[in-house]
Amino acid sequence: MTIKKILLATLLPSLLIVACSGGGDIRLNNGAVTPSQQPTATPTTAPTSTPTIQPNTSTGGVPAGGSLIIDRNLGNARFWEGVNDGAAVGNKSIIEVDHEDFSRASRISVERPAGEFWKGQLMFPVTTSLKSGDVVLAHFFMRSVENTYESGNSFVTVFLEDISTNGKYLTREVSASFEWVEYYLPATVTDTQAGGNLELKFGFGAGSRAQVFDIAGVELYNYGDFDISQLPSTRPSYEGRAEDASWRTAASERIELHRKGDFAITVIGADGNPASTTAVDINLLKHAYHFGSVTVGKVLAGNDSDSTIYKEKVLELFNQSGPENDLKWAPWEGEWGNNYNKVQTLAGLQWLRDNGLYTRGHVMVWPSKRNLPNLMQNYLPEGDPASANPQAKQAVLDHIDDIASASANYLDEWDVINEPYDNHYLMDAFGDQVMVDWFNRARTNLSDHKLYLNDYSILSAGGRNAVHQQHFEDTLQYLVDNEAPITGIGMQGHFGDSPTGIELVYSILNRYNTAFPELDIRVTEFDVNSEDEELQADYTRDFLTIMFSHPATVGVQLWGFWAGAHYSPKAALFTEEWREKPNATAWKNQIYTVWWNNFKGQTNTEGQYSQRGFYGEYEAIVLVNGENQTFNFTVA
């Protein structure tokens, strides 16, 4: 590797520090030089693994005490074949099977998956009523018949749904190889439900490949007011969770290659000669890579004990942040009530800036009618984008001018467009060119800021939402081809009980890095929304690891960290009472223990001390004439 030398002309009464690096450049209170990016190919793999059964007080089978509200009579099931480009997603047949617990199964042949799990459903109606708080247990068997996924597993999403509102009390992707797998999935029904308003469903529309699988022995029991922890539960998992998973070695090697650089300091005495055997302490102060979380302006502005702890945790855990909702158009205009206003928002951003956090804005344009502010609604007739008032185009540009100029000194980057896959009213009204116009207008106001396109279901949704992924790639390509000043790819990263397999995450990153090698990749909205705290912790550890190992990525941002200020409290790192959950411990351990380095030693006979460390900001404490002197530098 080429050795790059930079002289640091910081003259002191008694020494000069000279630094060089072999893996990256070292800078003293200066800018950064980005190391070359060399993505390493990783084979794709299917994202699910064989689950395990959570130990419980039952002695096997379904525990006594429940009322059977769906029995194994497959004839009661309804079926929707789904639709993909005018053709059926799949079909169903009833087959005879040899099993001690059942004699018939529903065989689902998925021929044209549509990328969304709900596009194609096997449905079992609940004909009895349920009370709010009732605990239910879904029990069924699954096996694969044919599939071409690398894991050898077929998969389906199980969900318990209120058919009048589409609200869900259970959503789990499950999988099986060619042997029967028995599943127990408990859930709590949080609303009173009349008979016929609830259905247990098996959604088979996800993925990008054909598959055939069997579902049998389907039952649903109601235990009423019951301790859900006492029911058997098939615990969720993910591909790549095993401690000896092969991806871990490759990831560690990439981290060593792409996230560290060699550096050396040379201590020169007042007499101009190298100062040998001089004691040197070097401490990492802050990673160059961004480990962050969104924050809430009202909490940052508060003075109560929760606000105090909240701000302490921000400074303890993160080097990057930005508002969760405060910079969205409607709250920016004061349409979301007293919890949001421009003065508070800018004060929160100033606090982040004063404390040295890299900051990002979300979002300039969320281009669906439902997500645009009230002040835009008169321009946008419902369901008729072709008749939209052309003044809407200028209103969007004026908003970009307003919010970009107001926040320019507080932010380092922006999500210019959010979720164009299903937020596209303005594009339907005025053409895709408006997206290029928005990026150009942002660049007019922000000459140096990073500018991102942000969307969901690229890494999540099992990593198999092929239609959404292709739309994202096509949109990025359109922006690049039309010379929009885009600099980054924002992938959200909201996961549930069936998070995407780790190697598949890496292959998705490779896909977009290969297509757009000049664009940074950032996970903008990471969380694991699960009651299983061990799963949360393990996936947080592994997701951070695979992201940190990919040279095209620049950071991972949580979508909140405290349950008291989180859209989904169970996904947070801390409970509302500030109990540190295992996922918080995993976050801290990876960033501040596994990927942290401090060094202590002495200069050699040439006055030099050399090491290899993570890219970031450092302090060097050098013992000079019996006194410690401290100097800051950057390995970049």
Side-chain angles (χ1 to χ4, degrees), residues 209-230:
R209 307 183 188 183
Q211 59 172 333
V212 181
F213 60 86
D214 294 339
I215 297 291
V218 178
E219 299 174 327
L220 185 67
Y221 291 84
N222 181 17
Y223 287 83
D225 184 8
F226 192 82
D227 182 356
I228 195 171
S229 67
Q230 299 304 305

Side-chain angles (χ1 to χ4, degrees), residues 465-495:
N465 195 329
V467 176
H468 202 147
Q469 290 167 339
Q470 188 60 51
H471 179 273
F472 192 49
E473 182 173 341
D474 292 344
T475 305
L476 288 162
Q477 192 65 60
Y478 178 84
L479 293 169
V480 170
D481 289 346
N482 286 276
E483 300 183 347
I486 183 173
T487 62
I489 302 170
M491 301 179 180
Q492 290 190 9
H494 296 290
F495 299 94

Side-chain angles (χ1 to χ4, degrees), residues 5 61 81 138 148 153 168 175 193 215 221 255 299 312 349 364 379 424 444 470 486 490 564 569 629:
K5 293 184 178 179
E81 63 187 8
T148 58
N153 287 357
K168 297 172 178 61
S175 65
Q193 293 287 343
I215 297 291
Y221 291 84
I255 289 170
V299 184
E312 290 173 353
L349 288 173
M364 288 184 171
Y379 297 134
H424 45 74
T444 298
Q470 188 60 51
I486 183 173
Q629 296 195 38

Side-chain angles (χ1 to χ4, degrees), residues 482-533:
N482 286 276
E483 300 183 347
I486 183 173
T487 62
I489 302 170
M491 301 179 180
Q492 290 190 9
H494 296 290
F495 299 94
D497 280 328
S498 302
T500 306
I502 297 300
E503 289 187 86
L504 182 53
V505 167
Y506 191 79
S507 72
I508 295 169
L509 296 175
N510 270 348
R511 168 184 175 174
Y512 289 93
N513 181 225
T514 300
F516 309 104
E518 301 304 316
L519 301 184
D520 293 333
I521 299 175
R522 182 187 300 281
V523 173
T524 57
E525 305 181 20
F526 175 64
D527 53 45
V528 183
N529 200 346
S530 175
E531 299 282 0
D532 189 326
E533 293 189 355

Side-chain angles (χ1 to χ4, degrees), residues 297-490:
K298 181 183 178 182
V299 184
L300 289 179
N303 295 311
D304 60 10
S305 60
D306 283 330
S307 291
T308 299
I309 298 172
Y310 187 88
K311 286 180 276 192
E312 290 173 353
K313 294 300 182 185
V314 171
L315 300 181
E316 174 190 350
L317 298 175
F318 311 119
N319 62 7
Q320 176 271 315
S321 186
E324 177 189 22
N325 291 314
D326 301 67
L327 287 173
K328 292 175 180 176
W329 193 348
W332 177 253
E333 296 293 343
E335 293 184 5
W336 282 18
N338 295 331
N339 289 335
Y340 300 90
N341 62 76
K342 294 179 182 179
V343 172
Q344 176 180 275
T345 297
L346 295 179
L349 288 173
Q350 184 65 59
W351 185 89
L352 295 174
R353 180 64 94 206
D354 289 345
N355 284 283
L357 279 78
Y358 183 97
T359 49
R360 65 188 324 269
H362 176 84
V363 53
M364 288 184 171
V365 190
W366 202 355
S368 64
K369 177 177 169 62
R370 68 181 181 274
N371 285 318
L372 289 167
N374 294 334
L375 61 89
M376 288 287 290
Q377 296 306 312
N378 289 337
Y379 297 134
L380 313 173
E382 186 67 44
D384 187 15
S387 299
N389 188 326
Q391 293 183 44
K393 292 177 65 178
Q394 187 61 45
V396 175
L397 296 177
D398 290 345
H399 166 65
I400 293 174
D401 288 341
D402 171 50
I403 200 166
S405 59
S407 64
N409 293 332
Y410 303 95
L411 294 170
D412 298 291
E413 65 181 47
W414 265 99
D415 289 330
V416 177
I417 305 174
N418 192 42
E419 302 175 347
Y421 177 74
D422 61 5
N423 291 265
H424 45 74
Y425 186 105
L426 294 179
M427 288 83 94
D428 296 341
F430 306 116
D432 289 344
Q433 175 63 35
V434 294
M435 294 190 292
V436 180
D437 296 341
W438 299 335
F439 271 91
N440 285 332
R441 197 55 162 252
R443 179 58 74 219
T444 298
N445 291 277
L446 306 169
S447 59
D448 299 319
H449 290 59
K450 305 286 188 180
L451 302 178
Y452 276 72
L453 177 71
N454 189 52
D455 214 334
Y456 70 97
S457 285
I458 309 304
L459 297 172
S460 54
R464 289 192 293 257
N465 195 329
V467 176
H468 202 147
Q469 290 167 339
Q470 188 60 51
H471 179 273
F472 192 49
E473 182 173 341
D474 292 344
T475 305
L476 288 162
Q477 192 65 60
Y478 178 84
L479 293 169
V480 170
D481 289 346
N482 286 276
E483 300 183 347
I486 183 173
T487 62
I489 302 170

